[in-house]
Amino acid sequence: MMRKLRSSMLFVVLLAFTMIVTACNGGNEQGSSGGEKEKVKSISILTGGTGGTYYPLGGAMASIIQEETGINANAQSSGASAENMNTLKQGEAEVAFAQTDIASYALNGELMFEGNKVENVQAIGTLYPETVQIVTLKGSGIESVEDLKGKKVSIGAPGSGVSANAQQILEIHGISLNDIKVQNLSFDESVDGIQSGSIDAAFVTAGTPTGAVEALAAQKEVKIIPISAEKVKQLIEKYPFYAEDTIPAGTYGIDSDVTTVAVKAMLVARKDLDEETVYNITKAIFENTDKITHAKGKLIKAETALDGIGNIPLHPGAEKYFAEKGVK
């Protein structure tokens, strides 16, 4: 009888011990899957086409990240901003290039992201301006944005970032698409149309100088239409992903500086990346821009990395770095 009692007592003790261990292990598993951000040993950086700016910049940044942090980083060519945001949404990469306006549309489920909101992406920082250029020719009679009324104007492909830029800028000036003769042309088609006289003006959003506009300037006298300081302020107040920009005299042979706006090329990351990893990536990039040989590397600065970021939330790792640098 005593032997059976001791056996029963031993069974109860073992059972209780097993339950305690299981509960502890279950708690650890829940903690790791219930919000802790996994540290990574390798990352993919989504860029753009191999002939564009994002791809070589991404390659340089991947090398810097690997050298400075030990994280195995590689740059991947892609369809650029919109595709990159969708790829991050699917969890198929960790870091990507995007324009600030496209990132904003993605996070808010607007325009080309209507019904397809991207909620798992946060900002690392902005890099350099993608300038909105309203291009026409000297002698066209177009001196201001208001003068575009009744004219044939290319605003890029339907649903594109350029099209959104054009509509927002026209809107601030009290102009709708019904007030112009809309043409949906690529940059090359736009400058060909301006040169041949089949269109009057075109919106071009790209880093300056832009090759297509340079080609036009080699044949004709180019004019870039300014946006007044007052309208720039109104535009940024309504659409905070814009930043003020200036196209300097001499670009395309223009006589004086032209005030306009820009969206910014930026880096974004999946928000489930841990804070330390993103902090180290951010620090590596912004403190080693001298290792970027591409011309745009000179424009990448910690001091301007929050310009044009608007309402796009910063990743906590990037926020920690910029706070240490005193950047607001």
Side-chain angles (χ1 to χ4, degrees):
M1 186 72 180
M2 289 296 293
R3 187 178 297 171
K4 287 183 178 180
L5 184 58
R6 283 197 298 269
S7 295
S8 297
M9 296 275 294
L10 180 60
F11 176 77
V12 171
V13 170
L14 288 172
L15 180 61
F17 178 76
T18 302
M19 292 175 68
I20 291 169
V21 170
T22 301
C24 289
N25 285 341
N28 287 340
E29 288 173 6
Q30 186 176 7
S32 61
S33 62
E36 287 186 14
K37 298 180 180 181
E38 183 183 354
K39 293 185 180 181
V40 294
K41 295 181 180 178
S42 64
I43 62 167
S44 294
I45 304 173
L46 301 173
T47 60
T50 55
T53 300
Y54 289 175
Y55 184 73
L57 275 182
M61 289 178 181
S63 296
I64 290 169
I65 291 167
Q66 193 153 327
E67 289 173 8
E68 297 295 321
T69 71
I71 297 171
N72 181 25
N74 69 88
Q76 296 183 2
S77 63
S78 71
S81 298
E83 180 182 307
N84 291 352
M85 294 298 291
N86 278 317
T87 302
L88 290 186
K89 179 181 180 179
Q90 300 303 319
E92 295 173 2
E94 290 73 37
V95 175
F97 283 74
Q99 287 186 184
T100 48
D101 54 342
I102 303 299
S104 179
Y105 303 147
L107 295 172
N108 293 315
E110 298 171 339
L111 298 179
M112 70 284 288
F113 289 94
E114 187 173 351
N116 185 34
K117 185 182 289 189
V118 178
E119 298 180 292
N120 66 329
V121 175
Q122 294 176 324
I124 289 178
T126 58
L127 304 173
Y128 61 88
E130 301 270 18
T131 307
V132 181
Q133 305 163 73
I134 308 173
V135 184
T136 187
L137 296 178
K138 282 188 175 180
S140 66
I142 302 172
E143 301 292 330
S144 67
V145 176
E146 288 84 355
D147 291 337
L148 294 174
K149 286 184 178 180
K151 301 294 194 296
K152 291 182 180 179
V153 182
S154 173
I155 63 168
S160 67
V162 180
S163 177
N165 298 151
Q167 291 180 63
Q168 289 155 1
I169 289 167
L170 291 172
E171 172 198 336
I172 290 296
H173 290 81
I175 302 171
S176 75
L177 293 185
N178 294 328
D179 296 320
I180 64 173
K181 298 173 184 176
V182 174
Q183 308 292 308
N184 298 116
L185 306 174
S186 70
F187 293 167
D188 288 336
E189 290 170 336
S190 293
V191 297
D192 286 346
I194 291 172
Q195 184 170 350
S196 68
S198 61
I199 67 171
D200 301 299
F203 283 80
V204 173
T205 302
T208 55
T210 305
V213 184
E214 284 188 306
L216 176 63
Q219 303 293 325
K220 302 276 187 175
E221 285 190 280
V222 166
K223 182 175 183 64
I224 307 296
I225 304 304
I227 302 174
S228 71
E230 178 187 354
K231 295 298 184 184
V232 166
K233 182 180 178 182
Q234 291 177 21
L235 189 67
I236 293 172
E237 285 176 354
K238 185 162 187 179
Y239 302 105
F241 46 75
Y242 283 106
E244 184 176 354
D245 199 15
T246 300
I247 302 172
T251 309
Y252 314 129
I254 60 178
D255 299 328
S256 57
D257 293 353
V258 174
T259 302
T260 183
V261 291
V263 291
K264 290 289 194 87
M266 70 183 302
L267 281 179
V268 294
R270 288 208 330 254
K271 69 178 181 181
D272 62 346
L273 291 182
D274 69 282
E275 181 177 320
E276 182 182 356
T277 295
V278 177
Y279 170 84
N280 290 335
I281 288 171
T282 308
K283 183 174 182 178
I285 291 170
F286 285 96
E287 295 194 358
N288 291 278
T289 55
D290 58 318
K291 296 180 181 178
I292 299 174
T293 57
H294 192 283
K296 294 297 183 188
K298 295 178 181 178
L299 301 176
I300 301 172
K301 301 174 183 177
E303 294 76 16
T304 58
L306 302 184
D307 292 356
I309 207 164
N311 56 7
I312 303 167
L314 267 180
H315 191 286
E319 187 173 16
K320 178 182 176 182
Y321 171 73
F322 292 121
E324 288 179 357
K325 298 288 287 185
V327 179
K328 298 179 181 180

